[in-house]
Amino acid sequence: MASETVEYQIDATFIDDNDSWAIIEPLWWTVSIYDGEKKYEQDLSKYSKSQRLVFACHWYMSEVNNGGHDQFYYNSTGIVWRDAIECFDAIGATEISEIIKSSATRLGGSPSLDRNERNEVLEKIEPKFDDLDDRFYKLESQIDIEKLIKVFISKRKSDFVFNGKVLKP
């Protein structure tokens, strides 16, 4: 399958009319979580702090919903753990940020942003996350996280404006 160039015009109207996934779509195609912290930071430098936080929030939710905190930390997505905490605090979902903090504590308090190093710790201490997974799933069913994210975005629309072309693999 060939790559294609996609032009995005994310303005105030687009932000009002679309969900948070669509609003941060350019990040999905241009920010690598797979190539280490330096590349991750370099890719994110083109975007606002607000975009970065929502991106992390979505990665966290996607991974935990797919395979729990084990999967979140085992996969490359573990690189976003600090930003995910900050995002959930910023949107007012502090219970979820507390879950992430608890999961980080079970990995020594400050999990490495390097996937291989995180995996070594995971294999060495074999933390159990089932209770945290269950707490997250319960909270997610009680809280409209998308609504909280959209309120966060609507208060910072200029942080989410994006006009440009992105190479979509």
Side-chain angles (χ1 to χ4, degrees), residues 24-87:
I24 63 160
E25 187 172 330
L27 282 79
W28 293 113
W29 307 116
T30 59
V31 176
S32 175
I33 60 167
Y34 306 104
D35 300 309
E37 182 180 5
K38 184 178 179 182
K39 176 74 169 141
Y40 177 66
E41 293 295 337
Q42 178 184 11
D43 290 349
L44 281 169
S45 69
K46 304 169 203 152
Y47 299 100
S48 71
K49 175 77 172 205
S50 300
Q51 288 168 308
R52 173 189 185 122
L53 296 181
V54 172
F55 179 72
C57 222
H58 280 301
W59 265 125
Y60 171 79
M61 291 186 298
S62 295
E63 289 295 285
V64 173
N65 277 315
N66 193 39
H69 286 84
D70 272 325
Q71 178 169 317
F72 172 69
Y73 286 113
Y74 179 78
N75 287 345
S76 298
T77 47
I79 199 169
V80 306
W81 75 271
R82 288 183 185 133
D83 290 334
I85 290 171
E86 191 173 343
C87 182

Side-chain angles (χ1 to χ4, degrees), residues 43-163:
D43 290 349
L44 281 169
S45 69
K46 304 169 203 152
Y47 299 100
S48 71
K49 175 77 172 205
S50 300
Q51 288 168 308
R52 173 189 185 122
L53 296 181
V54 172
F55 179 72
C57 222
H58 280 301
W59 265 125
Y60 171 79
M61 291 186 298
S62 295
E63 289 295 285
V64 173
N65 277 315
N66 193 39
H69 286 84
D70 272 325
Q71 178 169 317
F72 172 69
Y73 286 113
Y74 179 78
N75 287 345
S76 298
T77 47
I79 199 169
V80 306
W81 75 271
R82 288 183 185 133
D83 290 334
I85 290 171
E86 191 173 343
C87 182
F88 285 110
D89 281 339
I91 68 170
T94 55
E95 303 97 332
I96 296 174
S97 67
E98 290 302 320
I99 291 170
I100 304 169
K101 289 174 189 173
S102 294
S103 70
T105 298
R106 293 179 189 184
L107 287 172
S110 185
S112 175
L113 300 183
D114 179 88
R115 182 181 182 189
N116 292 330
E117 290 176 14
R118 267 195 325 277
N119 287 341
E120 286 176 17
V121 172
L122 282 164
E123 291 170 13
K124 180 180 179 184
I125 62 178
E126 298 180 353
K128 302 296 181 217
F129 296 116
D130 292 345
D131 61 319
L132 299 178
D133 296 344
D134 291 343
R135 279 178 54 201
F136 172 75
Y137 303 141
K138 184 177 181 183
L139 280 170
E140 189 180 39
S141 72
Q142 298 171 343
I143 300 171
D144 187 344
I145 297 171
E146 175 63 18
K147 182 177 180 180
L148 293 174
I149 292 172
K150 282 290 293 200
V151 168
F152 175 81
I153 291 170
S154 70
K155 291 179 179 178
R156 297 159 184 81
K157 283 183 187 176
S158 63
D159 289 353
F160 292 89
V161 169
F162 180 87
N163 293 302

